[in-house]
Amino acid sequence: MLINLLKFRFKNALQGWIDDPHAVLDLIRPSQDPKFGDFQANLAMPLGKQLGRPPREIAAEILKGLEIGDLCTEPEIAGPGFINLRLRDNVLAEFLQKALADRDRLAVPLLGEAEKKRILVDYSAPNVAKAMHVGHIRSTVIGNALAHILKFLGHEVITDNHIGEWGTQFGMIIYGYRHFLDRTAYEANPVLELSRLYREVRRRVDEPGSTLGPLVLEETAKLHHGDPENLALWNEFVPVCMQEIDRMYKRLGIRFDHTLGESFYQPMLAPLVEELLKNGIARETEGAVGVFLEGEEVPMLIRKKDGAFLYSTTDWATIRYRIREFRPDTILYVVDFRQSHHFQQLFAAAGKTEAHPPELVHVKFGTVLGDDGKAFKTRSGDTVGLESLLDEAEQRAFQIVAANDDAKPVEAGLLTEDERRETARRIGIGALIYADLSQNRESDYVFSFDKMLAMNGNTATYMQYAYARVQSIFGKGNCDPETLRDLKEPIRLNDPRERALALELLKFDEALESAVRDFRPNQLTAYLFELANRYSTFFEQCPVLRAESESVKTDRLRLCDLTARTIRKGLELLGIQTVERM
């Protein structure tokens, strides 16, 4: 809220100087060193180069037209033309007051009507024939966080889980069911046995000289053409697989507005191909049908020689359906980087058939690695199952919670067994989610339970501990934070640590905007980590319950309350729950 206000004032001062003031407003940023003020405007240098004048001269002229005295003390020009800005304490106090009184939004403004968009977020999208594994964690938690943040800011958000339940994997499973089924294992755990059958058939198909591939494709084709036996098996398999997937989503706290799988779009594929052929957008090529795109040597195939359709056909039909049904301004595809070329082709192709296509964005991400720097696998070489990851995260968190609790004096109030389990669940699942979201999404990262559950560093555990520490202060002081939120007296910021914390608290909206600007949730985790660090410094050096006066105590309690609520809201938007005690 603060930086946007500063940008607005600078924009007014720059009117008439350049055609587009927005081009340089991003050069107004928080100062790296408090001795230079709270914010620094570095726009005089590029303007000086553009206008052919000395930057310091430009900076001085900008200040002549800048109306900012109600917000800041006298601006200073430093170095080659930096403009240093320090906010007035009464301005900080005024904004803190608004954030404290706003129970739901912490004074984060909703977007104006002209800025709001209808955004569809496509994420997670597992193949239902296989148990969810570590590879699904990134799409699921990144997409979920982006959906939450976008909605909180005021966009209309639609979430859609485009599950894979119609592809070749079902041909493999149907073939495996008929030839390699362990009936006892299937009756005990159908999903586990179906996953085993998939891996078994996949292994046999990949063996040198194998003739199994055509037989698998034959089973797939029979399913797609409505063969009663294959369709009956498909109808038996899909519900039990979806129950298992939904159970994983429940553990992660994930919900979708829509779950429309590949089979939903199957009736739309043949008409789409015929339309594209008729309109000359697609043409036959060596017996198949493809779309030839500018800059591409090989066409994007939409129907194979044998008449089977491809992922590109289904994804194209999906775009068309979404445009007609949901009318989105933007569609985000949260899918790993290996699909980059597919989406480049798909987006280019879709633009050929839609008069006003929505903005189509591939929100790509890297791979989860093991200690060896390769894709994270079990010791036997299998992909790590998601359920086993969640189980181990909770088990490790429980050991930490139990050890910490046992180390407390009895009079501190120990957790019950159920409270330990629930606390461990929130810490373990939160650690897993936060560890992923705290990475630059386009980078690979090495999976480590020890790092993600650490009580210090940029982890969910550290954030949850900071939140619980505030709750402990209010508990020890027998204070009700609700009574502090409507106090009319401005907060007095007499200590530099108080002021630094206040300034950080008022950057929450900026962090949220940064997180969705390029769809990177790690911008929000970085902010929460910095806020927790500021609070730690404040807590260690500014006594709260033993403050030198009742008024100082009240002001510091209000800062504590706003810190806790900001951390809780930030974690909530990331899909992570807080804990009251640790």
Side-chain angles (χ1 to χ4, degrees), residues 527-542:
Y527 166 77
L528 292 174
F529 181 47
E530 183 62 26
L531 176 61
N533 283 335
R534 295 278 187 190
Y535 178 74
S536 181
T537 301
F538 159 82
F539 179 79
E540 290 168 4
Q541 301 182 21
C542 299

Side-chain angles (χ1 to χ4, degrees), residues 124 126 128 132 161 163 191 238-256 258-259 386 390:
S124 195
V128 305
M132 291 183 75
N161 189 7
I163 58 172
V191 175
V238 170
V240 294
C241 292
M242 282 305 303
Q243 287 175 11
E244 190 66 13
I245 288 171
D246 287 341
R247 192 167 64 82
M248 292 300 100
Y249 287 142
K250 187 175 181 180
R251 290 187 70 177
L252 287 166
I254 306 289
R255 291 183 178 181
F256 297 91
H258 303 278
T259 299
L386 180 57
L390 299 180

Side-chain angles (χ1 to χ4, degrees), residues 211-232:
T211 59
L212 205 58
L215 298 177
V216 167
L217 292 177
E218 184 181 330
E219 296 292 0
T220 307
K222 286 165 63 179
L223 171 64
H224 288 177
H225 288 100
D227 176 79
E229 290 186 12
N230 281 17
L231 201 55

Side-chain angles (χ1 to χ4, degrees), residues 10-11 14-26 47 50:
F10 270 88
K11 186 183 92 169
L14 290 171
Q15 293 293 345
W17 280 58
I18 51 177
D19 293 334
D20 182 17
H22 290 284
V24 293
L25 292 180
D26 280 343
L47 285 177
Q50 183 179 337

Side-chain angles (χ1 to χ4, degrees), residues 259-288:
T259 299
L260 299 176
E262 294 167 341
S263 64
F264 177 83
Y265 301 97
Q266 188 69 14
M268 308 175 196
L269 305 189
L272 171 63
V273 173
E274 292 307 316
E275 177 192 324
L276 296 174
L277 283 168
K278 179 181 177 181
N279 294 337
I281 294 172
R283 67 174 188 262
E284 290 194 10
T285 170
E286 298 181 7

Side-chain angles (χ1 to χ4, degrees), residues 83 93 116 196-197 203 232 305 366 381 402 438 468 520 551 558:
I83 300 173
K116 291 180 181 179
R196 185 193 70 80
L197 291 175
R203 181 183 66 79
K305 290 181 183 179
S438 62
R520 297 182 188 276
S551 62
R558 293 162 81 187

Side-chain angles (χ1 to χ4, degrees), residues 335-482:
V335 183
D336 76 66
F337 73 96
R338 290 172 295 181
Q339 299 296 317
S340 294
H341 185 245
H342 165 72
F343 283 112
Q344 287 172 10
Q345 289 190 315
L346 177 68
F347 296 168
K352 292 177 174 289
T353 58
E354 304 303 324
H356 302 287
E359 178 188 24
L360 302 171
V361 182
H362 179 200
V363 182
K364 56 183 177 289
F365 53 83
T367 304
V368 182
L369 306 177
D371 290 332
D372 58 359
K374 299 177 181 179
F376 193 31
K377 304 277 188 181
T378 64
R379 290 182 180 178
S380 63
D382 294 330
T383 303
V384 178
L386 180 57
E387 182 163 32
S388 66
L389 278 184
L390 299 180
D391 288 344
E392 186 168 353
E394 290 189 27
Q395 289 165 7
R396 286 174 176 249
F398 182 81
Q399 293 170 1
I400 294 170
V401 170
N404 287 347
D405 207 35
D406 290 340
K408 298 176 186 174
V410 175
E411 58 270 20
L414 303 185
L415 299 172
T416 66
E417 183 68 13
D418 285 346
E419 287 173 333
R420 286 186 177 189
R421 292 289 173 194
E422 176 59 17
T423 300
R425 183 191 69 78
R426 295 187 178 201
I427 291 174
I429 301 298
L432 200 65
I433 293 172
Y434 192 97
D436 197 297
L437 295 178
S438 62
Q439 312 296 321
N440 179 336
R441 61 170 167 80
E442 292 190 54
S443 301
D444 300 337
Y445 76 93
V446 176
F447 189 94
S448 168
F449 276 119
D450 290 339
K451 288 182 180 178
M452 70 176 61
L453 286 163
M455 294 286 285
N456 48 37
N458 191 12
T459 67
T461 313
Y462 179 54
M463 304 304 151
Q464 289 165 321
Y465 176 65
Y467 176 83
R469 188 156 60 170
V470 175
Q471 305 315 303
S472 174
I473 289 175
F474 281 98
K476 288 177 181 176
N478 196 25
C479 305
D480 178 12
E482 192 65 33

